[in-house]
């Protein structure tokens, strides 16, 4: 048996050139991927805008009526008062209080018109996502104001059940209003063909266990075929005739709710009850303390950035990159932990137990892909405890939002400087 002898330098040379070729191909593939991702992002942005415009289109018809009602009062009373005040023959006969009352109606109705215009502008504008404390009233009232007339016109009985003293949300109000509006428009479309009483209910309450505010929109419309239940949130899924629906409304809702660290679900019994439920993390009523805060994050640069931000905001904190180090940190008293669950899959159960024991609040760092990649029930356990999800790329605003949601920031103080 002979040995095949290859001159060593030629073998190495061949390997090196093969390697160079591979590297070249890899780089080319990477470039292509980057271009494709960019293109996808641009397409997605255009689609979202298209969906918003179609929702706006549906709104505009109703808004004409919404505006005409207050304008009728404004113009009518203003003309009456003008006549009364300038009339040579009769002069002013009513007491000043009566005139003031009429003027009060003018003011009130003009403000109502202005509110409607503001709400419309908020939907139409395309701003970068923000996170600010918003009250439930400020969130839902503009949406309801926009649909009131449409409900009356279509013979829809609409009821809102909203207890007082609901906690505030840390949210992008126009985005969440778009969610409510999309759900409401779908509900209206579902009840319109119903022959009997058409009813839509919006119930808002607090899920104290999950520190969440729960919005349930339910109606007695045509409902969703059980086979379609799993698909209604898919982009482009629509059962409406060609041209009548984009199939994007619910996928937009899903994306916005997810970006707020919330969840959206649907249940349907056709012609009995269809309910869309949105759960969004609530702001704690009482700001708690200024740390210490634990950061568990794999990427050193990202970890250093979070540390720098916490340092600048005057927090005491500890940072770790591994499960072992993190658990050592957990041994100390901490107020909150910002954790990238994917960084410590093995140590996660022990860590969650340690958090519970310390009474520390959990903020998840990372996206939902990271959560889905976790083994077993870990994702559900994380989601059940998390007060907020801070998605990458990490920015100051989202980080603040996470800290506020975790109750380790003074809400007003933190937002004073930005507003
Ligand atoms: N309240 C509802 N009742 C019955 N079906 C609904 C309801 N909301 C949504 N759907 C179903 O989900 C589909 C997707 O909704 P959506 O994403 O808003 O797109 P579109 O309204 O443009 O069809 C609808 O076509 C409809 O089949
Ligand atoms: Mg829709």
């Amino acid at each position: 048996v002979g040995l095949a002898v290859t001159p060593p330098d030629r073998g190495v040379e061949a390997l090196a050139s093969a390697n160079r070729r591979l590297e070249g191909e890899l780089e080319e593939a990477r470039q292509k991927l980057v271009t494709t991702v960019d293109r996808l992002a641009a397409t997605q942005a255009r689609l979202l805008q298209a969906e918003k415009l179609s929702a706006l289109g549906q709104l505009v018809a109703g808004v004409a009526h919404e505006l005409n009602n207050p304008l009728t009062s404004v113009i009518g009373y203003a003309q009456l008062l003008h006549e009364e005040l300038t009339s040579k023959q009769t002069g002013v006969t009513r007491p000043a209080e009566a005139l003031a009352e009429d003027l009060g109606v003018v003011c009130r109705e003009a403000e109502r018109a202005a509110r409607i215009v503001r709400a419309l502008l908020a939907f139409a504008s395309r701003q970068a996502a923000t996170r600010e404390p918003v009250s439930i009233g400020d969130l839902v009232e503009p949406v309801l104001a926009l649909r009131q007339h449409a409900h009356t016109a279509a013979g829809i009985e609409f009821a809102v059940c909203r207890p007082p003293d609901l906690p505030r949300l840390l949210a992008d109000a126009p985005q969440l209003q778009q969610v409510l509006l999309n759900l409401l428009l779908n509900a209206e479309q579902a009840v319109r063909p119903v022959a009997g009483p058409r009813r839509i209910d919006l119930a808002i309450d607090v899920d104290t266990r999950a520190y969440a505010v729960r919005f349930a929109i339910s109606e007695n419309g045509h409902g969703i075929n059980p086979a379609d239940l799993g698909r209604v949130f898919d982009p482009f899924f629509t059962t409406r005739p060609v041209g009548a629906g984009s199939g994007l409304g619910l996928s937009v809702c899903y994306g916005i709710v997810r970006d707020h660290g919330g969840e959206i679900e649907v249940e349907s019994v056709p012609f009995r009850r269809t309910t869309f439920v949105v759960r969004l993390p609530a702001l704690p009523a009482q700001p708690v303390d200024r740390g210490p805060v634990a950061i568990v994050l794999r990427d050193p640069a990202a970890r250093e950035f979070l540390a720098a931000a916490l340092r600048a905001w005057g927090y005491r904190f500890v940072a770790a990159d591994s499960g072992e180090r993190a658990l050592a940190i957990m041994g100390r008293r901490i107020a909150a932990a910002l954790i990238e669950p994917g960084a410590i899959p093995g140590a996660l159960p022990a860590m969650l137990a340690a958090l519970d024991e310390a009474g520390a609040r959990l903020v998840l760092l990372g996206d939902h892909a990271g959560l889905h990649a976790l083994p077993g029930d870990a994702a559900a356990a994380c989601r059940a405890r998390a007060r907020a999800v801070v998605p990458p790329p990490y920015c100051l605003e989202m980080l603040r939002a996470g800290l506020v949601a975790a109750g380790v920031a003074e809400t007003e103080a933190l937002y004073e400087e930005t507003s």
Side-chain angles (χ1 to χ4, degrees):
V1 181
L3 273 174
V5 178
T6 320
D9 47 357
R10 254 222 275 149
V12 170
E13 177 53 39
L15 219 68
S17 95
N19 205 26
R20 271 197 301 279
R21 211 175 45 245
L22 252 176
E23 267 172 20
E25 279 167 17
L26 259 178
E27 176 54 25
E28 210 172 286
R30 198 189 66 83
Q31 287 289 355
K32 265 190 209 145
L33 194 66
V34 168
T35 326
T36 311
V37 169
D38 283 352
R39 213 176 291 148
L40 265 176
T43 310
Q44 195 190 19
R46 274 205 303 278
L47 283 176
L48 293 189
Q49 194 60 10
E51 166 60 22
K52 199 186 257 180
L53 288 178
S54 98
L56 265 178
Q58 292 183 55
L59 279 178
V60 164
V63 163
H65 293 281
E66 294 298 329
L67 279 177
N68 274 336
N69 290 336
L71 285 180
T72 303
S73 309
V74 170
I75 296 168
Y77 277 107
Q79 285 176 341
L80 275 177
L81 283 165
H82 185 256
E83 246 170 42
E84 196 169 342
L85 291 170
T86 54
S87 158
K88 296 266 156 37
Q89 286 104 32
T90 52
V92 182
T93 53
R94 289 190 295 158
E97 296 86 72
L99 301 181
E101 205 169 293
D102 285 0
L103 264 177
V105 176
V106 171
C107 293
R108 229 181 17 253
E109 292 299 292
E111 271 159 24
R112 186 172 136 206
R115 260 201 313 280
I116 292 166
V117 171
R118 263 201 303 278
L120 254 193
L121 284 177
F123 290 124
S125 72
R126 183 177 166 189
Q127 294 149 339
T130 60
R131 291 290 182 272
E132 272 167 47
V134 273
S135 74
I136 302 298
D138 288 348
L139 195 65
V140 300
E141 265 149 28
V143 179
L144 304 186
L146 281 173
R147 300 313 294 161
Q148 239 158 33
H149 179 83
H151 291 156
T152 328
I156 298 172
E157 233 181 284
F158 179 77
V160 186
C161 174
R162 169 154 72 91
D165 301 329
L166 284 168
R168 294 185 303 168
L169 304 176
L170 198 62
D172 185 312
Q175 279 192 356
L176 286 187
Q177 285 165 339
Q178 202 190 340
V179 170
L180 292 174
L181 183 69
N182 281 346
L183 294 178
L184 207 52
L185 290 173
N186 279 348
E188 289 167 21
Q189 280 168 311
V191 294
R192 228 169 256 144
V194 171
R198 308 177 179 122
R199 213 188 140 88
I200 303 178
D201 289 287
L202 169 61
I204 309 174
D205 57 20
V206 186
D207 180 345
T208 41
R209 200 173 32 88
Y211 318 106
V213 176
R214 190 174 158 280
F215 298 77
I217 295 189
S218 54
E219 30 78 10
N220 61 345
H222 56 64
I224 302 168
N225 189 328
D228 292 339
L229 263 185
R231 300 202 289 160
V232 290
F233 295 107
D234 291 353
F236 305 116
F237 176 81
T238 180
T239 54
R240 309 197 198 287
V242 177
S246 67
L248 285 170
L250 287 177
S251 72
V252 167
C253 291
Y254 181 89
I256 292 174
V257 169
R258 193 198 49 197
D259 284 347
H260 280 80
E263 316 176 300
I264 181 167
E265 294 165 349
V266 61
E267 273 174 21
S268 181
V269 183
F271 295 104
R272 299 272 306 272
R273 201 139 232 22
T274 298
T275 308
F276 279 84
V277 174
V278 174
R279 256 187 226 90
L280 293 163
L283 273 176
Q286 292 287 320
V288 189
D289 56 52
R290 296 286 277 178
V293 175
I295 308 170
V296 185
L297 192 60
R298 225 169 348 190
D299 183 68
R303 202 170 57 241
E304 192 36 53
F305 162 69
L306 294 202
L310 290 184
R311 202 176 291 127
W313 292 334
Y315 284 91
R316 285 167 295 135
F317 65 92
V318 275
D321 62 346
S322 71
E324 291 69 34
R325 297 237 323 123
L327 274 174
I329 292 169
M330 299 296 153
R332 308 185 210 165
R333 197 199 80 81
I334 54 162
L338 311 178
I339 294 182
E340 177 192 19
I344 48 161
L348 202 53
M351 176 119 15
L352 292 180
L355 283 178
D356 286 348
E357 196 176 320
R361 294 165 293 274
L362 173 66
V363 174
L364 296 178
L365 299 173
D367 48 23
H368 283 252
L371 264 184
H372 283 307
L374 291 175
D377 305 333
C382 280
R383 213 178 279 121
R385 280 181 183 73
R387 293 252 185 135
V389 180
V390 179
Y394 306 116
C395 62
L396 290 181
E397 185 133 56
M398 293 294 186
L399 184 57
R400 280 176 177 203
L403 292 173
V404 172
V408 289
E410 290 136 69
T411 322
E412 307 298 347
L414 272 180
Y415 282 88
E416 243 164 30
E417 35 189 305
T418 56
S419 60

